[in-house]
C-alpha cells in the first residue's frame, strides 16, 4: 500500500529521533497512570549501575553494566575474563548489582537478555526465570529474556 499524501525518508536524523521520542513519551504518559505518576520524579530516569572486578594488577577481570529504572534492575552486559570463569566472579558481580538495586534503589525485580551460547543456565541457577524466547535472533541463535524477583 502506498500512501500518496506523505513523503517517506530513511536517513538518520537525530533531531527527528529526539522529537519522535518526546512525542511517544507524551503519548504513553497520557495513556498510562503509572507512567504519568513517574513524570518529573527521579524514578522516571534510568540510573547507571556498574560493578567492576579488578585483578591484583588492577586489570579488568570482569564487570557488569546495567541500569535501574522505576523498580527494575536491567543487566545490559555481564562479562568475566576467561581465566576467571568458574571462580564465582560472575555470581559475585550479579549478586552485588542485585544487592545495590534492592537496598539502595528500591528495585523489586531484575531482567536480562542473553543468547543460548552465552549464559541462560547461569541466570536460571541464580533464580531467574525465562519469560521470553526468540528463536533465530540473530539467525541460528536463540535469545532469552529472563526476570527475577529481588528479595
Amino acid at each position: 500500500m502506498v500512501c500518496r499524501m506523505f513523503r517517506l525518508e530513511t536517513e538518520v536524523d537525530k533531531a527527528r529521533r529526539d522529537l519522535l521520542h518526546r512525542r511517544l513519551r507524551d503519548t504513553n504518559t497520557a495513556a498510562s497512570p503509572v507512567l504519568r505518576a513517574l513524570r518529573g520524579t527521579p524514578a522516571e530516569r534510568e540510573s547507571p549501575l556498574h560493578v567492576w572486578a579488578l585483578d591484583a594488577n588492577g586489570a579488568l577481570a570482569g564487570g557488569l553494566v546495567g541500569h535501574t529504572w522505576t523498580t527494575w534492575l536491567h543487566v545490559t552486559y555481564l562479562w568475566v575474563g576467561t581465566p576467571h570463569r568458574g571462580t564465582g566472579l560472575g555470581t559475585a558481580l550479579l549478586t552485588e548489582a542485585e544487592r545495590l538495586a534492592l537496598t539502595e534503589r528500591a528495585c523489586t525485580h531484575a531482567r536480562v537478555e542473553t543468547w543460548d551460547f552465552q549464559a541462560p543456565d547461569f541466570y536460571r541457577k541464580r533464580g531467574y526465570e525465562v519469560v521470553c524466547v526468540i528463536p533465530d535472533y540473530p539467525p541460528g541463535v536463540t535469545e532469552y529474556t529472563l526476570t527475577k524477583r529481588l528479595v
Side-chain angles (χ1 to χ4, degrees):
M1 176 178 176
V2 176
C3 185
R4 299 185 195 280
M5 296 177 57
F6 302 97
R7 180 180 76 243
L8 301 180
E9 298 179 357
T10 59
E11 77 274 355
V12 174
D13 184 323
K14 185 179 183 307
R16 287 181 183 161
R17 181 203 65 200
D18 293 346
L19 175 61
L20 184 76
H21 179 255
R22 284 192 305 275
R23 288 183 177 174
L24 180 60
R25 187 186 65 209
D26 291 346
T27 300
N28 291 345
T29 301
S32 169
V34 172
L35 294 176
R36 200 167 31 256
L38 285 172
R39 282 303 287 271
T41 70
E44 178 184 27
R45 292 186 182 80
E46 293 178 359
S47 296
L49 193 155
H50 299 177
V51 182
W52 307 107
L54 307 177
D55 68 16
N57 298 319
L60 183 65
L64 182 147
V65 172
H67 67 268
T68 56
W69 179 69
T70 67
T71 59
W72 283 79
L73 163 65
H74 187 152
V75 177
T76 308
Y77 309 122
L78 174 58
W79 174 83
V80 173
T82 304
H84 310 292
R85 293 184 184 158
T87 65
L89 181 54
T91 299
L93 290 164
L94 184 61
T95 300
E96 180 64 3
E98 291 172 350
R99 184 191 70 75
L100 291 169
L102 178 65
T103 61
E104 295 184 9
R105 302 188 185 186
C107 289
T108 57
H109 293 83
R111 65 173 286 172
V112 64
E113 294 86 25
T114 189
W115 286 320
D116 55 4
F117 64 86
Q118 289 178 319
D121 290 336
F122 169 84
Y123 291 105
R124 281 190 196 108
K125 289 176 185 172
R126 282 142 195 89
Y128 284 74
E129 296 179 9
V130 174
V131 296
C132 179
V133 177
I134 306 174
D136 239 17
Y137 184 75
V141 175
T142 299
E143 181 181 87
Y144 294 87
T145 301
L146 299 98
T147 62
K148 177 181 179 179
R149 180 161 181 77
L150 300 178
V151 289

